[in-house]
Amino acid sequence: MTHIQRMVIGMAVWMAVAACALWIPTAQAEQTRFNYRLKWLFNTSVAGDVFAMENGFFADAGLDVQVREGSPEKDAIKELELGYAHFGVASADQVIRALEKGADVVVLAQVFQINPMQWIYRYPQVQITHPADLKQYHLGVTFGGNDETIMQTLLATADLTLRDVKVTGVRFDFTPFLKNQVDLWPVYRNSQGVILADRLAKEGETVRFLNPADFGVDFVANSIVTSGAMAADYPDLVARFLSALLAAWEAAMDPANQASVLAAVKKYDTGTQGQVQAAQLDVTRTLVKPDPDIPVGRIQTAAWAQTEAIMLDQGLIRTPVHVTSRLRNPVLVQ
């Protein structure tokens, strides 16, 4: 190795160490800095997160939180492991898969009380009163996605499998559903579901949504996570972060704050029309806080246990991970 190569490598290592040191929590810092990695892009689904950073919730708690968009390529749990993020948002299946691989991750709060992953269908053309009714319809499923796991579980409640129904693989193109070639299409109820329902309503069609939870399939969606080491070493900072974030979510889900919440979301999601965002926020509210007495962030232990059981039963994990032992907020765990 040449001298220049050694210098380049040495500089790279120094820069990496310096970058990490920049955001390691320190009691001496005027404001403790954190990175918080979301699961998806800025839109109405993350209204509470956007509201927190736009309205000073973190700063009031003495925290400097960098809220960063997620994407399919940005895994919050992996970033926790690498030290790139201190907190993140991950779906339950991501948490459970990571635990099986030995990741040190704990769950601090559960954002959605009702999973937004549901199926849209035209009514009364399609009518579903029992999972067995699905046998007569053409289903859309994202192979390898959450919705495939959920649909397999839903079908199993009627002693059916995907082989017993007609299935089409789903991508980002809604054309097969819009052309009436597929009867039920998987959507996130509070984002794509709103857009499709609005479009079909303008064409005089009525839609409904198949919610697997209505038939006893509770598969947990997005939750707030951190590393076990972070929770153990900095309990006060973790508590301050979570308290500020959940307070923001509570405020964001209050209809009285709708205008200011939409203004905050619009600042980051400029491509969605205002009336659509308003409708998306209305639906998000029903999924995050379905009852006024339910605190934002409540962790449903039974649903986590069922999610792990579903994944174990379908071979998505090979051994139990005892995920309920990683639910770490005694106030929110129920």
Side-chain angles (χ1 to χ4, degrees):
M1 181 180 297
T2 67
H3 177 66
I4 293 178
Q5 287 175 321
R6 285 196 295 271
M7 285 184 61
V8 170
I9 293 173
M11 184 64 73
V13 171
W14 180 87
M15 291 176 67
V17 171
C20 291
L22 181 64
W23 35 274
I24 288 175
T26 63
Q28 293 76 22
E30 184 175 341
Q31 279 194 323
T32 306
R33 299 188 63 190
F34 291 120
N35 286 335
Y36 173 38
R37 174 66 75 185
L38 302 181
K39 189 173 186 294
W40 194 240
L41 306 176
F42 289 131
N43 57 36
T44 314
S45 291
V46 298
D49 304 308
V50 172
F51 199 64
M53 64 177 172
E54 284 298 304
N55 290 273
F57 282 82
F58 294 127
D60 290 346
L63 307 174
D64 178 7
V65 179
Q66 308 298 309
V67 183
R68 298 179 172 176
E69 283 187 314
S71 72
E73 295 78 29
K74 295 171 182 173
D75 185 316
I77 296 176
K78 186 171 293 182
E79 293 201 1
L80 292 177
E81 293 182 303
L82 294 172
Y84 298 160
H86 301 91
F87 300 97
V89 177
S91 56
D93 64 305
Q94 286 180 308
V95 172
I96 292 169
R97 289 176 195 270
L99 289 173
E100 188 188 37
K101 294 177 181 177
D104 178 26
V105 58
V106 296
V107 177
L108 301 174
Q110 181 180 325
V111 179
F112 287 97
Q113 299 301 307
I114 299 172
N115 196 326
M117 174 56 70
Q118 300 178 15
W119 276 259
I120 189 173
Y121 60 88
R122 292 173 173 84
Y123 181 85
Q125 176 179 325
V126 174
Q127 298 191 43
I128 300 170
T129 58
H130 187 276
D133 296 332
L134 292 169
K135 191 173 182 178
Q136 60 188 300
Y137 298 118
H138 188 172
L139 312 180
V141 168
T142 310
F143 293 114
N146 273 347
D147 57 297
E148 181 186 5
T149 303
I150 296 170
M151 180 53 74
Q152 285 179 331
T153 305
L154 184 60
L155 289 169
T157 65
D159 294 325
L160 299 172
T161 71
L162 285 177
R163 290 189 293 274
D164 298 312
V165 295
K166 187 175 181 181
V167 180
T168 287
V170 168
R171 296 186 178 181
F172 290 108
D173 183 7
F174 297 119
T175 301
F177 178 72
L178 293 173
K179 287 188 173 181
N180 230 343
Q181 296 169 341
V182 176
D183 297 312
L184 293 102
W185 195 264
V187 292
Y188 283 99
R189 174 70 182 83
N190 57 332
S191 54
Q192 302 153 323
V194 171
I195 295 171
L196 285 175
D198 178 68
R199 177 167 176 174
L200 291 177
K202 291 175 179 174
E203 297 172 3
E205 297 194 273
T206 300
V207 301
R208 290 189 176 180
F209 292 88
L210 170 64
N211 179 7
D214 291 341
F215 301 100
V217 179
D218 289 316
F219 197 91
V220 179
N222 295 357
S223 295
I224 300 166
V225 299
T226 190
S227 67
M230 181 78 180
D233 296 341
Y234 303 98
D236 176 63
L237 293 176
V238 170
R240 285 162 54 192
F241 168 82
L242 190 61
S243 177
L245 181 59
L246 294 183
W249 267 100
E250 284 282 1
M253 295 299 99
D254 186 343
N257 296 325
Q258 174 147 327
S260 55
V261 173
L262 290 174
V265 172
K266 192 66 177 176
K267 187 173 178 180
Y268 296 89
D269 177 14
T270 59
T272 305
Q273 294 181 336
Q275 73 271 19
V276 173
Q277 289 177 324
Q280 290 176 329
L281 181 59
D282 287 342
V283 177
T284 298
R285 192 179 295 120
T286 67
L287 302 175
V288 172
K289 196 173 175 67
D291 186 291
D293 294 331
I294 295 176
V296 170
R298 179 185 67 163
I299 298 174
Q300 299 169 279
T301 305
W304 277 91
Q306 188 188 56
T307 301
E308 180 180 344
I310 289 171
M311 295 180 68
L312 195 59
D313 182 62
Q314 295 189 12
L316 300 176
I317 56 173
R318 288 178 294 183
T319 59
V321 298
H322 309 292
V323 68
T324 56
S325 69
R326 310 298 289 185
L327 310 179
R328 289 299 172 81
N329 193 315
V331 176
L332 294 173
V333 173
Q334 295 182 6

